[in-house]
Amino acid sequence: MPIAPGYTALICPACTENQLWMTEEGLECRRCGHVVPAEAGVHALNPAVGEVPPVPGASPGQPDAIVRAFFPTEAARASHYRDLDLILGQVLGRKNLGEVLEIGASGGAWTEGLSNDPRVRRLYATETSPSALSHLAQITAGGAALVLDTGTDGLGIEMATLDLVVGRGALAREADPQVLLTNVRRWLKPGGVAVFLEPCLQGKIWSAFVMDLIRRFEAQGGPGPSGDEGGGFLGRKPARNKGLSQLAQMRLEGAARQVMRGAQGEGMGEDRVFDISALTHLGYEIGYAECYPIDQPQEDVTPLRRLRNALDGLLGTEKGALERYAPVFEALEETFAALPETAPVAPNIYFVFRA
């Protein structure tokens, strides 16, 4: 479905009136005549300076360094959107969504799905990274997405015009999440919903615990020998005699400390984590009618797998050494993995705010 022409929820950056209209040529203000520059599917509403960083350790000469690290594949985007669609079904049912805002769309994990969802009349997808903006315009071509070059500070939305606001790590990237949540509350129609997938302290603390546990064992030479050398863990070939390098142990220590800094309220940006109670209480203080987390179903990705994914990404080529700790993961799987939801242990969780 192409972008719907006519009235938009956007406020003109020139005259600050709610008169920006979508025409075949692009965005134009009917009050002052201001035309929002557009190039290659990107509308420069309020351009900000921003860029997605390259892959850590990648050579500056690698043209695909940013793409590999931050832009998910088509299959991954479809999987991410299935998860979001499941959450939206729980929160909103199958109702149509006239005006939808995605804050900080980044690699487009949700953008393509929202843009092509027949329930969505128009999607406003914001971003500041030139690479990400170009990528978003490409994957949403022909869909209902209006790709906007703007940060949250300069984003003007008319009050009570949006049906849905979504963001992946959008609150974590804000210097003061309360400001963004307050603005979103004004932008939503009565009964409208904001859904944010954010780093969750209750889940991250489990990862920190396992990281520190493994680091401490490795510092003492690793776990003792085991009589069971067959099978491997999760179908992998055993590698019990291979320990972690000092660099890998330092990474584990650093990652665990990062979580603890966030737990103590010192985290900013990538270090930030949100306590479930604190964030939901903040929502009520701002004036939302409902604020609550949503459990992630574990049919496809179990809590054990979420922890392993975090550790595998941290250890890279040394992840095979985790086979030495198979009993730890098996014990975790027999305990919290028996639960029907993963909310207490998922590193990231969906937070819902209903106006």
Side-chain angles (χ1 to χ4, degrees):
M1 180 184 297
I3 303 172
Y7 165 84
T8 73
L10 301 172
I11 291 176
C12 175
C15 68
T16 67
E17 294 287 338
N18 178 220
Q19 292 293 320
L20 271 183
W21 285 67
M22 187 67 201
T23 67
E24 292 183 358
E25 289 73 29
L27 285 168
E28 182 177 351
C29 181
R30 288 198 167 186
R31 175 61 61 86
C32 70
H34 174 72
V35 176
V36 175
E39 182 178 354
V42 177
H43 300 264
L45 182 66
N46 196 350
V49 178
E51 182 58 86
V52 177
V55 180
S59 168
Q62 291 180 262
D64 61 340
I66 292 176
V67 175
R68 291 203 328 271
F70 296 94
F71 300 162
T73 64
E74 182 177 358
R77 294 195 301 268
S79 176
H80 288 312
Y81 188 65
R82 280 195 298 270
D83 290 346
L84 175 64
D85 191 46
L86 181 62
I87 300 301
L88 294 181
Q90 295 181 45
V91 176
L92 293 167
R94 303 305 298 176
K95 65 182 293 186
N96 290 331
L97 304 169
E99 306 284 310
V100 178
L101 169 66
E102 182 179 10
I103 300 174
S106 189
W110 292 344
T111 319
E112 183 178 22
L114 287 167
S115 177
N116 292 288
D117 193 318
R119 297 171 296 168
V120 177
R121 177 175 178 269
R122 187 186 288 119
L123 168 67
Y124 307 96
T126 73
E127 184 52 60
T128 60
S129 158
S131 299
L133 286 164
S134 177
H135 174 70
L136 292 170
Q138 180 181 0
I139 64 175
T140 60
L146 194 60
V147 180
L148 303 174
D149 183 357
T150 180
T152 56
D153 290 344
L155 182 59
I157 301 287
E158 179 68 2
M159 292 180 60
T161 55
L162 301 178
D163 298 282
L164 173 67
V165 175
V166 297
R168 294 171 58 90
L171 297 177
R173 291 192 294 268
E174 292 293 312
D176 184 359
Q178 183 173 352
V179 174
L180 179 56
L181 278 174
T182 301
N183 286 332
V184 169
R185 173 65 183 84
R186 298 191 188 106
W187 298 339
L188 286 171
K189 296 176 182 178
V193 167
V195 177
F196 294 102
L197 180 62
E198 301 292 337
C200 172
L201 171 61
Q202 282 77 357
K204 291 275 190 179
I205 205 74
W206 278 100
S207 297
F209 166 73
V210 175
M211 290 173 186
D212 202 50
L213 177 68
I214 291 174
R215 180 189 66 81
R216 290 173 184 273
F217 266 107
E218 288 292 314
Q220 300 298 322
S226 170
D228 179 15
E229 295 295 333
F233 181 53
L234 293 179
R236 294 178 179 175
K237 184 178 179 180
R240 299 187 185 278
N241 295 324
K242 184 179 179 181
L244 292 172
S245 68
Q246 185 176 6
L247 176 60
Q249 294 180 48
M250 291 173 61
R251 288 176 178 171
L252 289 175
E253 182 178 14
R257 286 184 176 179
Q258 176 178 317
V259 175
M260 297 313 299
R261 284 198 300 270
Q264 294 162 3
E266 301 173 0
M268 295 293 293
E270 293 182 358
D271 291 351
R272 174 173 276 143
V273 292
F274 291 105
D275 174 73
I276 290 176
S277 296
L279 190 56
T280 53
H281 287 167
L282 175 61
Y284 282 118
E285 290 176 2
I286 291 171
Y288 286 93
E290 290 183 279
C291 310
Y292 56 91
I294 284 207
D295 300 332
Q296 296 188 50
Q298 61 169 349
E299 295 177 359
D300 298 324
V301 184
T302 66
L304 172 65
R305 174 52 62 189
R306 294 181 193 279
L307 282 175
R308 284 302 301 259
N309 287 345
L311 287 165
D312 286 355
L314 189 67
L315 298 177
T317 58
E318 296 189 46
K319 63 185 179 182
L322 294 178
E323 297 299 335
R324 291 150 53 95
Y325 297 91
V328 174
F329 293 100
E330 289 165 356
L332 293 173
E333 187 175 35
E334 289 297 322
T335 54
F336 64 65
L339 301 173
E341 293 89 21
T342 66
V345 293
N348 297 284
I349 195 171
Y350 293 90
F351 290 91
V352 177
F353 303 88
R354 190 187 301 273

